[in-house]
Every structure is written in C-alpha cells, then in structure tokens.
Amino acid sequence: MADTFTHKCPNCSGPLMFDPKDQKFHCEYCLSVFTEDEVTAYEMSQREAHLEDDLNNTAEEILTYTAESQENEMSSEEKATFKEATGTDEAAEDTLEGAMELFNCPSCGAQIVTEATTAATYCYYCHNPVVLSGRLSGKFLPEKVLPFAIEKEEAVEKFLAWTKKKWFIPKDFFNKQQIDKMTGVYFPYWVVDAELEGQLNARGTAIRVWRVGDIEYTETKQFDVERQGKISFKELIKNALSKNTQQKMVEAVQPFLLDKAVSFKSQYLAGFQAEKRDIEYETINKTVKSELTDYSESLLRDTASGYTSLTKVRTDITIENEDNQYMLLPVWLVTYRSHEKSKKVYYYAMNGQTGKVSGILPISYKRLGLFTFGIFAAILAIFLIGGWFI
C-alpha cells in the first residue's frame, strides 16, 4: 500500500490547493491563503511534533510482541503451516501489488486504484487532492517543478475560444461534461544542458558568372574551409513518460520558460495530477548525444555560408560536458473519444504557463455533410434563378 498525504490548512486542517493566479495556497473551507514558505514551516513543525511522539512510544513498542516477530521465531515447518492457515502467499502478494496500485485517501480513508506512474491525483470519493509520496522520493524526487501559471477558468476560456473557430467539431465536444474533463497535469521530463567542441573541414566552391557583350564568363574558385568552436545547448527537453502517447502534441506547446522553475516542493502538486517518470536517462542518453551531435554539425555548416557548394565535409564533435535534470512541467489536457466505430481518442493540450495550445480535434461528418449540401443547394438555386431570367 503506497504512502499518501494531503497538504493541510494550518488553520482548519482542510486540504490546500495551489492557485496559479497568485502562486499561493488556498483553503476552500476557511478561505485562508498561505505562501509556500508558510506551508513548509507549518509542515516541518508538524513533522517535528510527530517525531517526538514516536520517540516517546519507542519503549512501549520494544516490549510489544507483534505477529511478525512471532512468525520470525517459527521454524521453517511452522512458517509453512502458518502461511497455509492464514492464506499468506508472498508470490501472490507481489503479483497483486504489481497488477493493482492501491492507496488509501488520507482524508476519507477510501481505497483508490491508480496507474503505476501516477504521483498525484484526486480522491474519487471526497475529491481532495492526494500525493503519493513514495513515488516522488529517492531517485524519483524531481529536482525542479515549473508551477502552473494559468488557472482552470482561463484554460477553459482559451479552450472554447480555440475550438469555436473550428466549424465541424461535434456539438458534444463543447458540453459541460467534456469541459470538466480538462485536467492540469505535471508531466515528467528530462531537461539537458550540454557543452560541445566541434570542428568542420570541407571543400568550398564559389562560382561567379557574368557576361560582357556576347561572351559569358565563368569564374570558379575553390577554398579549404575550416570551422571550429564551442557550442552550448540549454534546456533540451526530452519526454520521461513512456505512456505519453500524445507526446508530439505536448511537444507542440513548447517552449516552457524554465527560468521560472523552482526547487521541487510537493505543495505545488496540490489540486493537480502528476506523473512520475518511467524512462531513465540512461535509456535515452544515446539518442540525446546523437541529437546534440546533429545540431552541432548543422550549426557548423550554417557558418560556412557564401559558397555555391560545400563538398568533402568532415566533422569532429566532442561532448565536453553534459548535465541533466528531472523536472515536472505543467500541461492542461483534455481528451475526447470519438463515437465512431474506431473510438479514436483526440487530444488537446495547453502549456500551463504560457497558454500556447495544440491539438487534433474530431470532425463531425454530419455537420460537414450538411454544410456541403447547403453550398451545393445555394449554387443550384443561383443557377436555376439565373437560367429563369435568361
């Protein structure tokens, strides 16, 4: 069972929500507003108080026999009998945990099922925000998070403005139930900075043609071209979630203004969903190095301009320094499943900080057909009226 928690209001213990509008934490019950420093200070004092209580109870716990300690004292035969009697099977437990990701809501105690990569979500029953701490700790602890700067009301407004420009979208794409599906999600990414040293050698050919009277002259010059220098790349963003099938669309809402990213605090996840990475950097390192090398070669080629042609090109690219950071970046996301036989899923995404949008919207072929028929009928009517007067 995963460890869960909800960020609580210091005044009434209600759940806190991060508000992108003022970048503060709001309690919907007592309407209190707190800064990140205030929430952090309160939670640190709470942890210290709990730690003191735990130390006071240590003596009693040492003297208490548990079922686990008794089982450890059993012989191997007794253990087998014990497991047979109680129905305990370690392999079965492992299989169950792998197939079903369960956790208890810290607010209402309800048991909820999530996917293995979910790191923050809502309780389906009490609708309070929940963070799964075990999935954002240790090696899975993000180094930075880019907080949402656009609240849901603004995201919905931009969504409707964008979609209403499209003529042939199904009507149910605009209904309240569909709009309510819009979700703020922190997606995991690897952000790479790198410094490279590169050298290019080539044969450059410059051709000049001019005419004097009836005579055309052609001048051909060849040069040994050499370029070298240091190349710096900042904030190359790579996806860190394998199930992110809409990755192309999410890439289309870039760039993210990463200079506004802050050191990771789980408080910023309150009120949003979050995913943890399941792609390690070692898995994509070869691809990243290849991209950096290709970009560097392209930049070196661009500096060798002014020639008619460039041949016998040789490049030597060395990566001098490479640094990566694990970050959570904000995206507003809404999906729509087509009612056609294909049941195709369409995605709409918005950069949670800049508001840049991207998506592929469904087409209502019924609307498209009526529109086409209307145009045909209008043309036919004009033709008939024109023929009548003639």
Side-chain angles (χ1 to χ4, degrees):
M1 191 76 68
D3 186 21
T4 64
F5 65 90
T6 297
H7 292 286
K8 301 289 187 179
C9 171
N11 292 337
C12 70
S13 295
L16 289 177
M17 301 278 194
F18 177 70
D19 189 341
K21 191 172 184 179
D22 61 6
Q23 299 288 293
K24 293 183 180 179
F25 301 87
H26 293 240
C27 175
E28 295 183 346
Y29 291 86
C30 68
L31 305 181
S32 298
V33 180
F34 304 93
T35 65
E36 187 272 323
D37 289 338
E38 291 171 335
V39 175
T40 300
Y42 169 73
E43 293 182 344
M44 287 183 64
S45 66
Q46 292 294 102
R47 282 195 291 269
E48 290 173 358
H50 290 157
L51 180 60
E52 185 176 348
D53 291 340
D54 291 341
L55 291 174
N56 292 334
N57 293 331
T58 300
E60 295 180 10
E61 292 178 357
I62 293 175
L63 298 176
T64 302
Y65 284 98
T66 63
E68 181 181 356
S69 63
Q70 290 177 346
E71 183 185 351
N72 290 337
E73 293 174 359
M74 297 177 183
S75 65
S76 58
E77 293 181 358
E78 290 173 328
K79 286 182 180 180
T81 304
F82 174 80
K83 289 182 178 180
E84 182 178 355
T86 58
T88 304
D89 188 327
E90 293 179 0
E93 288 174 356
D94 292 340
T95 302
L96 179 63
E97 293 221 351
M100 300 175 65
E101 297 287 341
L102 304 174
F103 66 89
N104 289 329
C105 173
S107 298
C108 69
Q111 193 172 83
I112 305 173
V113 181
T114 70
E115 295 186 33
T117 56
T118 302
T121 185
Y122 285 93
C123 172
Y124 179 79
Y125 299 93
C126 68
H127 304 290
N128 285 334
V130 178
V131 178
L132 283 71
S133 59
R135 298 179 183 179
L136 292 173
S137 60
K139 71 174 185 176
F140 292 107
L141 181 67
E143 294 167 80
K144 289 188 176 181
V145 57
L146 181 62
F148 274 88
I150 295 178
E151 56 187 349
K152 186 170 184 177
E153 290 77 9
E154 183 181 354
V156 169
E157 182 180 340
K158 288 179 178 290
F159 167 69
L160 292 176
W162 189 74
T163 54
K164 285 181 178 178
K165 295 178 182 177
K166 318 297 180 183
W167 287 10
F168 307 118
I169 300 175
K171 284 185 177 181
D172 56 357
F173 196 77
F174 300 101
N175 63 30
K176 184 179 184 301
Q177 183 180 6
Q178 176 65 17
I179 293 174
D180 286 343
K181 290 180 181 178
M182 180 171 285
T183 307
V185 183
Y186 282 104
F187 281 110
Y189 288 92
W190 289 107
V191 179
V192 183
D193 293 341
E195 293 181 355
L196 298 88
E197 188 167 328
Q199 180 171 331
L200 176 144
N201 295 93
R203 174 66 56 86
T205 301
I207 300 175
R208 186 168 69 97
V209 179
W210 71 95
R211 179 182 294 273
V212 178
D214 294 332
I215 303 175
E216 182 179 271
Y217 296 90
T218 300
E219 179 186 69
T220 301
K221 293 182 178 180
Q222 291 188 327
F223 304 87
D224 288 329
V225 180
E226 181 177 345
R227 296 288 187 272
Q228 61 181 2
K230 293 184 178 295
I231 306 168
S232 178
F233 291 93
K234 298 291 184 183
E235 301 172 356
L236 176 65
I237 298 176
K238 303 300 295 181
N239 175 43
L241 182 65
S242 60
K243 73 175 184 181
N244 198 354
T245 55
Q246 64 275 24
Q247 177 59 21
K248 288 184 179 179
M249 183 193 58
V250 174
E251 286 179 350
V253 301
Q254 294 183 24
F256 291 93
L257 304 180
L258 297 184
D259 59 320
K260 297 184 181 297
V262 298
S263 296
F264 177 77
K265 295 284 181 65
S266 62
Q267 290 94 319
Y268 290 104
L269 307 186
F272 300 94
Q273 291 190 13
E275 298 284 336
K276 77 166 186 177
R277 75 172 191 264
D278 63 357
I279 298 177
E280 296 303 320
Y281 188 71
E282 291 74 15
T283 305
I284 63 172
N285 185 244
K286 186 176 180 180
T287 301
V288 170
K289 289 182 182 296
S290 177
E291 284 189 27
L292 292 172
T293 301
D294 291 344
Y295 291 153
S296 299
E297 289 182 357
S298 178
L299 290 172
L300 286 172
R301 281 176 176 270
D302 290 342
T303 63
S305 59
Y307 300 100
T308 306
S309 64
L310 206 63
T311 58
K312 298 182 179 180
V313 179
R314 301 182 304 280
T315 58
D316 182 18
I317 307 295
T318 304
I319 298 178
E320 299 289 334
N321 185 39
E322 182 182 348
D323 180 55
N324 64 78
Q325 288 186 316
Y326 172 37
M327 292 190 190
L328 297 183
L329 304 180
V331 177
W332 284 105
L333 189 68
V334 63
T335 61
Y336 174 85
R337 185 176 294 276
S338 171
H339 296 302
E340 301 170 4
K341 290 183 179 180
S342 63
K343 297 298 181 182
K344 183 178 178 179
V345 178
Y346 297 87
Y347 297 93
Y348 166 89
M350 176 190 294
N351 187 312
Q353 186 197 49
T354 66
K356 184 179 179 182
V357 301
S358 173
I360 301 175
L361 300 179
I363 296 176
S364 171
Y365 292 100
K366 182 179 179 181
R367 280 191 171 191
L368 180 60
L370 290 173
F371 179 77
T372 305
F373 176 77
I375 292 178
F376 175 77
I379 294 173
L380 181 61
I382 293 172
F383 176 78
L384 292 175
I385 292 173
W388 176 269
F389 283 107
I390 291 173

